[in-house]
Structure formats: C-alpha cells, structure tokens
Amino acid sequence: CGEPALRMSRQDMLVLSEPFCNALVGRFAYSKPPMEVIRKFVISLGLKGDYLVGLLDFSHVLLLPALEENYTRLFVRQTWFVQGSPMAISKWSLDFKANKEVSIAPVWVTFSDLPLPFFRKQQLAKLAGVLGRLLRVDAATTDLRRPSIARVLVEVDVPTKPIKRICIRD
C-alpha cells in the first residue's frame, strides 16, 4: 500500500492484550453522559481496588477493573443505567469494533450428577474450562447446600453450539 507498516503475529497481539483480559466495553446506544458523570457512577458502585474508566469513542467507554470480582460484577449485570442512559456491557476483545456486537457473554451453567470431590473450586474450574472462562461459583455449590447440582458462571462464546454433556473419566 506504499505506507510504512508494522507486521505482528496474532500470537504476539494476544500476548500484548493479556493485561486487558478483564476489560469491558460500555456502549451507550442513545446518548452518552459526560465522562465525569460516568466516572462518578462507577465510583458510586463501591468497587474494590483500582479500575480505569476511559473514553473509546462517542458512544463507548472502556472499563478496566484490576480485580476479577469487579469484572464479574460489572459483566454479569450486562446493562447499567447511568443518569437514565442505558450502558450495555460487553467483553472487550482484540477485535473490538464499535459497530460489531461481541459474542461473549456470562452464562450460568449447571452440572448435575457430579461426584462430591468435584464440588471443589479447582475441579469446577477444570469442568468450566471446557466451556469457557470460570467467573464465579454459586454460593450453594461452594458450601454444599445443594450437592445435587453445581452451578458456575462461565464466559461463553454464545454463537458456538452449546455443550450438553461433559464426560469425566479416569
């Protein structure tokens, strides 16, 4: 194309994007409040630890919480109202484009008929890893109030075909 260029492999780009694994995008479909209002709103949520709120473009803001629990809290709700304006939350990705919907969403998944040793977070994380990234384990699962099923919140690529069963073998 006759212009200077920088070529990088997809793998190098993925490594560069690792610090942004908890980054979220807030999209305002109608009118975006001023950034000061958005920042005050995020402060009012009482998030723990550090976080960044930055302007991506005229209708999108970047939300980058340092702690995964804040990431999960923001992501699970999916829509927040900032001064009456709905802000839809989606996961940031390397391929983020303002006019393109992101297909990753938090989904509660239920595992039934699990042996009791699989109710530990480490084992549930392995099971959930087959589907996506584990975000949270349901409290009733953690403290065995309901050992008939285990519930976990997982980041799932929604357009992919749902997995109905996972076989556990020794």
Side-chain angles (χ1 to χ4, degrees):
C1 66
E3 298 174 358
L6 171 64
R7 297 189 77 168
M8 294 182 72
S9 70
R10 181 74 176 174
Q11 185 60 38
D12 288 343
M13 292 296 289
L14 291 172
V15 169
L16 285 174
S17 68
E18 282 176 12
F20 303 97
C21 68
N22 287 341
L24 297 165
V25 174
R27 180 176 58 85
F28 292 90
Y30 307 109
S31 64
K32 181 182 71 55
M35 285 304 294
E36 308 88 59
V37 171
I38 297 168
R39 286 189 177 102
K40 283 180 184 175
F41 169 78
V42 175
I43 289 169
S44 76
L45 296 175
L47 301 177
K48 298 174 186 171
D50 293 331
Y51 54 86
L52 177 141
V53 180
L55 180 66
L56 286 171
D57 62 27
F58 63 92
S59 61
H60 294 86
V61 294
L62 175 70
L63 304 166
L64 184 56
L67 299 177
E68 191 159 334
E69 69 183 80
N70 292 333
Y71 166 79
T72 302
R73 179 178 172 203
L74 291 167
F75 193 26
V76 168
R77 177 102 173 242
Q78 296 204 312
T79 302
W80 295 85
F81 288 86
V82 181
Q83 207 174 39
S85 295
M87 176 177 68
I89 299 293
S90 60
K91 181 176 178 57
W92 175 86
S93 75
L94 191 54
D95 301 317
F96 170 76
K97 301 276 189 284
N99 59 353
K100 182 181 166 197
E101 288 293 318
V102 177
S103 62
I104 296 173
V107 175
W108 282 103
V109 175
T110 302
F111 296 114
S112 58
D113 301 320
L114 281 180
L116 280 176
F118 280 86
F119 277 73
R120 294 178 30 231
K121 186 172 182 176
Q122 181 181 12
Q123 299 313 118
L124 289 168
K126 287 180 182 180
L127 276 171
V130 173
L131 306 171
R133 176 181 166 195
L134 176 68
L135 297 176
R136 183 183 296 165
V137 177
D138 174 71
T141 299
T142 302
D143 62 18
L144 293 174
R145 277 183 281 152
R146 186 191 54 237
S148 57
I149 62 167
R151 283 186 63 218
V152 294
L153 184 64
V154 182
E155 250 182 29
V156 176
D157 191 1
V158 178
T160 60
K161 185 178 178 184
I163 296 173
K164 303 247 186 242
R165 252 176 97 154
I166 299 173
C167 293
I168 301 171
R169 298 186 182 174
D170 58 7

